[in-house]
Amino acid sequence: PATRRELPFWEQLPQVLLYPLHASVLLASAALSLFSVLASLPGLVGTIMLCITWLATYGYGFEILRRSAHGNPAPPEQLGELFDGGVLRLVALMVLCLAAVICGTVLFGAWAMLGLTALLFVLHPVWLISLALDGSLRQALNPATAIFTLQRIAGPYAVSLLLIGVLQFAALLLYALAHRGLPGVLAWPLSTFGYAMALAASFRLLGVMVHSHRHELGFQADGAPSEERLPSPTERADQALLTKVDGLLQEGRRDSARQLLQQSVRSSPAGDAVHEQLQALLADQPLAERQAHTGQWLLHLLQSGQSLRALGLWRAALAEDAHFCPTLTSTAEQLVQLASERNQRQLAHDGLRALLHQHRQAPGAAGWALQAALLTCDLHGDVAAARQLIAQGLGSQPSAELERRLHAALATLPADTPA
């Protein structure tokens, strides 16, 4: 069958501007506008409702950007989750921008405010794109990221910036007119509906631009075949680092190469090739040093969606040391959940036992103990060990609900351990 021709960015602009008329976007904008009626309430309640509306609007728009960047034309079917990591980093970015404008105004006056606002308006789409693709606020704010993006797609970026400016101006004009001539209970939903539509078109525009110029940006869309492309800023940094490491190894300076990699992994995000090289250089080092890096590598694999590879690395670490546990208990909990979802119950059991050994009095210890006790009894029939785990959970000051569940589990155990 004939391959469908991918439309150039310029030919997609009319469709992008009509994107807010999609039924899902209209329904989401209408839902946000209805919820924003609560923002008209006086005092703190109205302020809180306004913040929630703002978060939900940007969560939905940010998901549009991510989908569009990967070539998915369908809008999200529901509002983005308020506490999605990417959205929270976006909120942090906007707070930093606002703080910069305020500080510049206080220190240097109105002209500084105008200059900073113009600069931030130009750079803000770069930061949005970087957050959507990498999820790293540090990488987004790195000047090299902006330089790389503007060098590769300066023309399309300028056009997108102009269109976003028009959309944002129209939304602000609607806001001013609505709040000037209508009561708050009508002004808020009308202005929110208009802003949500403008934001959806803006995020869709950026996503389409990224997908259309993904080769230049070094971006590999999900589900797309491997293509010839320029390396991304992160990949270029990794390649430069590995070149230095190869030079040190050729000179016989193995310790220097290992220390360089360790310092790099601690200070900035690194790709799989860097982690693999570092793990190889740590093969003859003390176990504690090797496992410290394993925890960092596990976090990277989970953040990049490589769950099966993360479970394999975790299994190998536990085989080497049954008490191995990542530094962050949240990382271990995520691994336990992934193992359970993939029916790797023995791995989940071993991970829970390691968690309990390393973090006996952690807030989640009672829940870990309950899960481990049930798995111990189910997988191995070891009732005595299950009782010990339940006793450990009861001794970790569990909540009333967890204490009830631990006692209920204890009551279901046989009186004697089967022979």
Side-chain angles (χ1 to χ4, degrees), residues 138-139 233-245 248 256-271 273-275 277-278 293 296 300:
R138 178 186 297 178
Q139 180 67 29
T234 301
E235 290 171 331
R236 290 195 301 165
D238 285 353
Q239 290 172 1
L241 174 64
L242 291 173
T243 299
K244 292 181 181 178
V245 169
L248 292 172
S256 298
R258 186 187 71 252
Q259 291 168 7
L260 176 61
L261 286 171
Q262 287 176 314
Q263 181 181 2
S264 177
V265 167
R266 285 194 297 265
S267 61
S268 61
V274 172
H275 285 288
Q277 179 70 77
L278 177 54
H293 170 249
Q296 295 171 326
H300 161 74

Side-chain angles (χ1 to χ4, degrees), residues 74-99:
E77 294 298 326
Q78 58 186 0
L79 298 179
E81 295 186 14
L82 296 184
F83 296 104
D84 175 86
V87 177
L88 293 180
R89 283 186 281 272
L90 173 59
V91 171
L93 172 63
M94 299 184 77
V95 169
L96 288 174
C97 291
L98 181 60

Side-chain angles (χ1 to χ4, degrees), residues 164-240:
I164 290 172
V166 172
L167 291 168
Q168 296 296 308
F169 177 77
L172 290 174
L173 182 61
L174 177 61
Y175 176 90
L177 293 175
H179 285 266
R180 184 175 182 178
L182 296 173
V185 71
L186 296 177
W188 278 114
L190 179 60
S191 59
T192 300
F193 183 82
Y195 189 73
M197 297 275 281
L199 200 68
S202 300
F203 278 115
R204 172 65 176 167
L205 178 64
L206 291 177
V208 168
M209 180 185 68
V210 169
H211 187 73
S212 298
H213 298 86
R214 60 189 182 277
H215 304 158
E216 294 90 332
L217 294 173
F219 170 57
Q220 178 69 45
D222 287 345
S226 180
E227 300 165 309
E228 287 296 325
R229 58 189 178 88
L230 295 172
S232 67
T234 301
E235 290 171 331
R236 290 195 301 165
D238 285 353
Q239 290 172 1

Side-chain angles (χ1 to χ4, degrees), residues 314 318 322-326 329 332-333 336 347-376 385-398 402 406:
W314 189 37
L318 286 169
H323 296 151
F324 166 77
C325 186
T329 58
E333 288 177 322
V336 169
L347 180 58
H349 169 270
D350 296 344
L352 287 166
R353 295 296 295 262
L355 256 175
L356 286 166
H357 182 271
Q358 299 289 355
H359 305 281
R360 294 178 180 274
Q361 297 301 318
W368 306 334
L370 177 60
Q371 294 180 67
L374 295 176
L375 286 171
T376 296
R387 289 182 183 279
Q388 291 177 356
L389 288 165
I390 291 176
Q392 182 177 344
L394 290 170
S396 64
Q397 299 180 342
L402 266 176
L406 285 164

Side-chain angles (χ1 to χ4, degrees), residues 29-308:
S29 301
L32 288 166
S33 66
L34 289 175
F35 187 82
S36 70
V37 173
L38 299 175
S40 64
L41 295 174
L44 181 61
V45 174
T47 302
I48 293 174
M49 293 300 104
L50 178 61
C51 290
I52 293 175
T53 304
W54 182 72
L55 272 175
T57 304
Y58 271 89
Y60 187 76
F62 202 66
E63 182 61 24
I64 288 175
L65 170 55
R66 284 190 285 214
R67 283 170 171 250
S68 300
H70 287 283
N72 184 355
E77 294 298 326
Q78 58 186 0
L79 298 179
E81 295 186 14
L82 296 184
F83 296 104
D84 175 86
V87 177
L88 293 180
R89 283 186 281 272
L90 173 59
V91 171
L93 172 63
M94 299 184 77
V95 169
L96 288 174
C97 291
L98 181 60
V101 171
I102 293 174
C103 290
T105 304
V106 171
L107 294 175
F108 304 107
W111 285 109
M113 179 192 72
L114 291 174
L116 273 172
T117 302
L119 178 63
L120 293 176
F121 177 75
V122 171
L123 293 177
H124 199 254
V126 174
W127 297 333
L128 287 175
I129 291 169
S130 181
L131 281 177
L133 301 187
D134 297 330
S136 169
L137 184 57
R138 178 186 297 178
Q139 180 67 29
L141 293 175
N142 187 340
T145 301
I147 295 172
F148 177 85
T149 302
L150 295 175
Q151 283 179 336
R152 297 296 185 271
I153 53 170
Y157 187 86
V159 172
S160 299
L161 202 63
L162 177 62
L163 291 175
I164 290 172
V166 172
L167 291 168
Q168 296 296 308
F169 177 77
L172 290 174
L173 182 61
L174 177 61
Y175 176 90
L177 293 175
H179 285 266
R180 184 175 182 178
L182 296 173
V185 71
L186 296 177
W188 278 114
L190 179 60
S191 59
T192 300
F193 183 82
Y195 189 73
M197 297 275 281
L199 200 68
S202 300
F203 278 115
R204 172 65 176 167
L205 178 64
L206 291 177
V208 168
M209 180 185 68
V210 169
H211 187 73
S212 298
H213 298 86
R214 60 189 182 277
H215 304 158
E216 294 90 332
L217 294 173
F219 170 57
Q220 178 69 45
D222 287 345
S226 180
E227 300 165 309
E228 287 296 325
R229 58 189 178 88
L230 295 172
S232 67
T234 301
E235 290 171 331
R236 290 195 301 165
D238 285 353
Q239 290 172 1
L241 174 64
L242 291 173
T243 299
K244 292 181 181 178
V245 169
D246 286 341
L248 292 172
L249 291 175
Q250 290 175 6
E251 297 172 4
R253 299 166 62 187
R254 185 182 178 87
D255 289 344
S256 298
R258 186 187 71 252
Q259 291 168 7
L260 176 61
L261 286 171
Q262 287 176 314
Q263 181 181 2
S264 177
V265 167
R266 285 194 297 265
S267 61
S268 61
D272 292 332
V274 172
H275 285 288
E276 289 170 0
Q277 179 70 77
L278 177 54
Q279 194 76 347
L281 291 176
L282 289 170
D284 57 353
Q285 297 302 303
L287 179 63
E289 190 172 351
R290 188 162 60 255
Q291 290 191 337
H293 170 249
T294 299
Q296 295 171 326
W297 195 2
L298 282 170
L299 184 59
H300 161 74
L301 291 173
L302 291 174
Q303 289 177 339
S304 58
Q306 302 181 65
S307 55
L308 290 177

Side-chain angles (χ1 to χ4, degrees), residues 393-416:
L394 290 170
S396 64
Q397 299 180 342
S399 64
E401 173 61 19
L402 266 176
E403 184 175 3
R404 183 191 66 77
R405 292 172 60 191
L406 285 164
H407 281 296
L410 186 62
T412 64
L413 295 178
D416 299 311

